[in-house]
Amino acid sequence: MILVQDQLKDQSEVRIDIEDRGYQFGDGVYEVVRIYNGQYFGMDEHLERLERSAKEIHMTLPYPIELLKTRLEKLAEANDINDGHVYLQITRGVAERTHQFPAEPTPFLVAYARKSPRPENKMREGITAITTEDIRWLRCDIKSLNLLGNVLGKQKAMDAKCDESIFIRSNDIVTEGSSTNVYILKDGEIFTHPANNFILNGITRRVVLELAEEAGITVHEKTFNKQELMDADEVIISSTTMEVTPVISIDGKQVGTGVPGKVARTLQEKFNERIDKLQSVKN
Ligand code: PMP
């Protein structure tokens, strides 16, 4: 079953109009929310960000966020998801193709739930990355359906047989990964790009900052450049799907000693404790 507007439907019943503005312009916003042990992780924060993204593109949600929350609970239940995620998108709806907004937009919401395992191997062994120019627009804080810059970045990493692209703006500042936030550790302190228009303020990022504080690690929401990235003692990425994952090499050069570092391990342990605290609805 999938969620279409506020109704659960069989996927075969659903047709997407070729004039949906999401399809033609990428005119819409989205979220991905993780489900652990039958429970959503950070749902309120994801929905708040969804509301903000919509507002920033002058789009109203098709119905109130509280109702959406209950519908998403039903969606996870109907699909019997224990470990997985929900993908949710809202477009500006169907209208004759003109760039400007339609006079009376009819926002269109679709969400589906999938079973998906946690990336255990990558989290344990670490991932490899390349650096590449951040060619995206200047509103990366909006979780918009327009992901071409991210898509091209990720593909470049795949072509190089790596897992992730770390983006660097033309001013030499490291912003984030193609689908992750990026942190460096230097002399026991964490640095990560401030949450402004150059990055998506990840829900996992907010958790990581809390966990670091709990662990007594100083965090600076402060920019760093490519050289500082390459000289870091540890590099870590985070996202809803990748959780907290160490980066062990960048552009073919090993990070630190080339194995996952102590701070990455500490944050992972603390992240697991957060997940363990979620009570299963099924128990
Ligand atoms: N930055 C970008 C560009 C992303 O696509 C994502 C994944 N949504 C993130 C950061 C991490 O965000 P979150 O922790 O909310 O998944």
Side-chain angles (χ1 to χ4, degrees):
M1 301 291 274
I2 67 170
L3 180 67
V4 180
Q5 300 294 50
D6 61 348
Q7 304 285 314
L8 285 185
K9 293 192 175 169
D10 195 275
Q11 194 171 338
S12 61
E13 287 173 48
V14 184
R15 292 278 171 273
I16 302 299
D17 197 301
I18 57 162
E19 284 192 314
D20 187 286
R21 290 178 64 91
Y23 182 58
Q24 294 189 331
F25 295 107
D27 187 359
V29 294
Y30 78 105
E31 280 295 330
V32 178
V33 192
R34 197 77 174 77
I35 302 165
Y36 296 109
N37 205 17
Q39 287 279 293
Y40 281 113
F41 187 78
M43 174 62 96
D44 290 342
E45 290 79 2
H46 281 281
L47 291 181
E48 249 170 54
R49 185 172 65 184
L50 179 73
E51 241 179 334
R52 178 186 181 275
S53 294
K55 185 165 158 268
E56 292 298 317
I57 66 163
H58 311 286
M59 201 178 84
T60 46
L61 302 188
Y63 54 93
I65 217 86
E66 279 311 311
L67 181 60
L68 176 56
K69 197 172 161 182
T70 62
R71 290 293 183 270
L72 292 174
E73 299 283 351
K74 291 251 172 328
L75 178 68
E77 262 171 55
N79 290 283
D80 194 26
I81 307 290
N82 208 38
D83 277 304
H85 64 272
V86 157
Y87 173 82
L88 155 72
Q89 69 167 47
I90 307 175
T91 71
R92 211 181 302 272
V94 178
E96 193 177 316
R97 188 183 179 284
T98 56
H99 283 60
Q100 71 271 27
F101 301 167
E104 286 176 20
T106 47
F108 185 64
L109 182 151
V110 173
Y112 58 79
R114 293 264 190 283
K115 292 183 179 162
S116 53
R118 296 176 65 187
E120 308 273 3
N121 289 344
K122 304 262 184 210
M123 289 194 291
R124 190 174 52 249
E125 284 157 29
I127 61 160
T128 57
I130 56 167
T131 57
T132 188
E133 191 185 351
D134 193 344
I135 58 167
R136 299 172 303 160
W137 72 331
L138 300 177
R139 291 305 308 274
C140 297
D141 55 312
I142 300 172
K143 201 161 169 62
S144 130
L145 294 177
N146 273 281
L147 287 174
L148 261 185
N150 308 64
V151 166
L152 293 175
K154 186 73 88 183
Q155 186 56 40
K156 202 167 166 189
M158 297 295 124
D159 291 345
K161 307 244 177 311
C162 288
D163 300 292
E164 179 62 309
S165 265
I166 296 178
F167 288 148
I168 302 179
R169 281 276 170 194
S170 51
N171 59 358
D172 198 34
I173 296 298
V174 176
T175 51
E176 60 180 341
S178 73
S179 61
T180 56
N181 290 115
V182 175
Y183 314 79
I184 59 169
L185 184 85
K186 194 65 190 170
D187 300 329
E189 300 189 342
I190 292 175
F191 293 78
T192 194
H193 196 289
N196 60 18
N197 61 306
F198 291 105
I199 68 158
L200 183 77
N201 187 1
I203 305 302
T204 323
R205 175 184 182 278
R206 303 174 204 185
V207 176
V208 166
L209 299 191
E210 280 174 29
L211 298 179
E213 200 187 317
E214 271 175 41
I217 304 164
T218 302
V219 179
H220 304 275
E221 292 185 71
K222 199 168 165 278
T223 58
F224 52 90
N225 64 24
K226 183 174 173 179
Q227 196 56 52
E228 290 170 304
L229 172 77
M230 301 308 284
D231 291 342
D233 300 326
E234 291 186 39
V235 176
I236 297 168
I237 53 130
S238 78
S239 75
T240 296
T241 44
M242 289 308 295
E243 302 184 12
V244 179
T245 296
V247 180
I248 54 167
S249 91
I250 302 175
D251 292 339
K253 179 180 170 286
Q254 72 177 37
V255 174
T257 53
V259 292
K262 253 174 50 193
V263 167
R265 289 292 183 239
T266 302
L267 294 172
Q268 286 179 327
E269 278 165 27
K270 290 196 154 286
F271 196 84
N272 280 333
E273 287 169 15
R274 290 270 177 125
I275 294 169
D276 291 342
K277 278 194 205 145
L278 292 171
Q279 291 292 316
S280 172
V281 275
K282 292 180 183 164
N283 286 340

